[in-house]
Amino acid sequence: MRLFEKCVYKSKIEPITRNNIGPDQFAYKKGHNSTMALIKSQHQWLEWPDKNANYVRVLSFDFSKAFDSVPHDLLFEKVKKLPINPYVVNWLISFLENRIQRVMVDGMVTEYLHINRDVPQGTVLGPVLFSIMVDDIKTADPSNALVKFADDLTLGVPGNESGDTSRSEAACLQDWAEENRMLLNLEKTYEMVVRRHTSVVLPELIPSIKRKTWLKLLGVTLQDNPCNWDLHFEEMLKKASGRMYIMRVCKYYGLSIKQLDLLFDSLIMSIFTFAIELWGCAYDGKYLNQIDKFIKRAHKNGYISKRTHIKEIRDKRDKKLWNKITSTEDNALLELLPEKRSERGRLPKSPESMGSLQDEDDERLPRSLPGN
């Protein structure tokens, strides 16, 4: 079934959803990932204070059992609005209709119940159907920034002396949840305030939303001071140290150095390289050197064959991301780059090129000036 789902998705659905699901969704889309979602969010938080904002409210919303709460009837209406082949639309509807389930515990079996909501997880179509469901979640104020990664919603709202629109944004999202019969989990909805200066007075709290000095978004711990990565590095090093026990056991039982290299890359380096494009700009002396010392100890104790430097890995990952952004015209981060300078704005490389530019300019000038 999964193979057939993939064939239908690749040929009939993915070409449509690629252009119809908004650029604010970073999950389940080719060429997009959680790191790009975090970069897009942080870029806005840092850009607004450079302009006219005194602070930025960062709101992290969470739905209760998001995938299990999608009403089939509302989802069907949204699918029908997309320019998908009607036969495929009917196939999608039949894919979700007439599902039943029951529970068996210690030989006791319940009666079957019909399911009229949820998108099946572990399927090819489940994630894209959920993306279609939440695609119409938009900001009330276009100047605010919403970034989605599946059911994780991060909203950035700039503010100054005259206030901000965070309350209306929270109310708008609450209204959407009620209209679409989904439930916001306010117990897991938090706010963090990024300020231009620490002297800036914090804005008033939003009712029912807790304020924190840090938020864990998509696996990365961000703090209200964008230059402070203490919590994230502390968590990374703690997790890596815990996994070193596995390395010691495997070395004790005689795994080869080649096998240990593979194990170290999958268990330890995966922690240090996740979203490194986001936090890799942290201070070398305070942060990055901690990782280098960790790798140095692992090499000294014989867990890896060669020592690598985290800054070299960071530079390679940055170049890879840059090539990814600039190689496609529809990349979600392309709009963050400054505009290209035109060739006419550059200095000529030689006298010959100077002459050609002068001739081109002469052709664009009027042949005669109007009289006074």
Side-chain angles (χ1 to χ4, degrees), residues 238-258:
K238 182 179 179 181
K239 187 181 294 185
S241 298
R243 294 184 179 184
M244 284 302 294
Y245 172 75
I246 302 175
M247 299 294 301
R248 288 194 293 271
V249 172
C250 291
K251 183 184 178 183
Y252 175 80
Y253 282 101
L255 264 67
S256 66
I257 190 66
K258 185 177 181 181

Side-chain angles (χ1 to χ4, degrees), residues 172-190:
C172 181
L173 186 56
Q174 184 69 47
D175 290 342
W176 182 94
E178 292 177 1
E179 291 173 5
N180 289 268
R181 303 201 296 275
M182 295 181 69
L183 182 63
L184 275 178
N185 187 355
L186 295 179
E187 290 297 321
K188 294 184 179 179
T189 297
Y190 300 105

Side-chain angles (χ1 to χ4, degrees), residues 26-38:
F26 284 78
Y28 318 124
K29 295 171 73 175
K30 185 177 180 180
H32 295 66
N33 54 44
S34 58
T35 300
M36 294 173 64
L38 290 167

Side-chain angles (χ1 to χ4, degrees), residues 38-272:
L38 290 167
I39 291 174
K40 179 74 175 289
S41 298
Q42 192 190 57
H43 176 85
Q44 292 286 2
W45 308 343
L46 300 180
E47 185 181 46
W48 281 324
D50 283 343
K51 294 181 178 178
N52 59 354
N54 291 336
Y55 60 87
V56 178
R57 287 183 187 260
V58 181
L59 300 168
S60 173
F61 294 96
D62 181 76
F63 286 105
S64 296
K65 298 182 179 180
F67 281 77
D68 297 330
S69 303
V70 175
H72 289 171
D73 57 336
L74 297 180
L75 175 60
F76 295 157
E77 292 301 319
K78 295 182 181 184
V79 170
K80 291 176 183 178
K81 293 179 181 179
L82 296 175
I84 300 176
N85 187 306
Y87 291 102
V88 177
V89 172
N90 290 334
W91 179 76
L92 287 173
I93 293 174
S94 67
F95 178 76
L96 294 178
E97 274 187 332
N98 300 321
R99 286 180 173 266
I100 57 176
Q101 69 178 20
R102 65 178 181 177
V103 178
M104 178 181 295
V105 179
D106 296 332
M108 302 292 292
V109 182
T110 65
E111 295 182 358
Y112 279 108
L113 290 177
H114 286 274
I115 304 171
N116 59 7
R117 58 173 59 209
D118 97 324
V119 288
Q121 299 185 58
T123 64
V124 176
L125 297 174
V128 69
L129 290 173
F130 185 83
S131 296
I132 293 172
M133 182 66 193
V134 300
D135 184 57
D136 57 348
I137 299 178
K138 303 298 179 185
T139 57
D141 186 343
S143 63
N144 298 329
L146 177 66
V147 172
K148 308 171 193 169
F149 194 86
D151 60 330
D152 291 315
L153 276 60
T154 305
L155 178 67
V157 181
N160 47 40
E161 295 85 355
S162 58
D164 58 72
T165 58
S166 57
R167 289 174 181 258
S168 61
E169 292 288 0
C172 181
L173 186 56
Q174 184 69 47
D175 290 342
W176 182 94
E178 292 177 1
E179 291 173 5
N180 289 268
R181 303 201 296 275
M182 295 181 69
L183 182 63
L184 275 178
N185 187 355
L186 295 179
E187 290 297 321
K188 294 184 179 179
T189 297
Y190 300 105
E191 175 197 33
M192 178 178 72
V193 180
V194 178
R195 291 178 286 176
R196 178 189 291 179
H197 305 292
T198 55
S199 59
V200 174
V201 178
L202 288 169
E204 293 183 4
L205 290 169
I206 303 173
S208 303
I209 296 180
K210 303 179 184 68
R211 178 174 293 170
K212 301 171 69 174
T213 58
W214 59 273
L215 290 177
K216 188 166 185 178
L217 302 175
L218 305 178
V220 177
T221 304
L222 298 113
Q223 297 180 241
D224 54 3
N225 179 357
C227 297
N228 191 339
W229 293 97
D230 289 353
L231 295 179
H232 184 65
F233 273 76
E234 180 182 339
E235 184 178 359
M236 282 197 301
L237 293 168
K238 182 179 179 181
K239 187 181 294 185
S241 298
R243 294 184 179 184
M244 284 302 294
Y245 172 75
I246 302 175
M247 299 294 301
R248 288 194 293 271
V249 172
C250 291
K251 183 184 178 183
Y252 175 80
Y253 282 101
L255 264 67
S256 66
I257 190 66
K258 185 177 181 181
Q259 292 172 321
L260 290 174
D261 278 338
L262 292 173
L263 195 61
F264 188 83
D265 284 343
S266 60
L267 289 180
I268 310 297
M269 292 307 297
S270 60
I271 299 173
F272 293 145

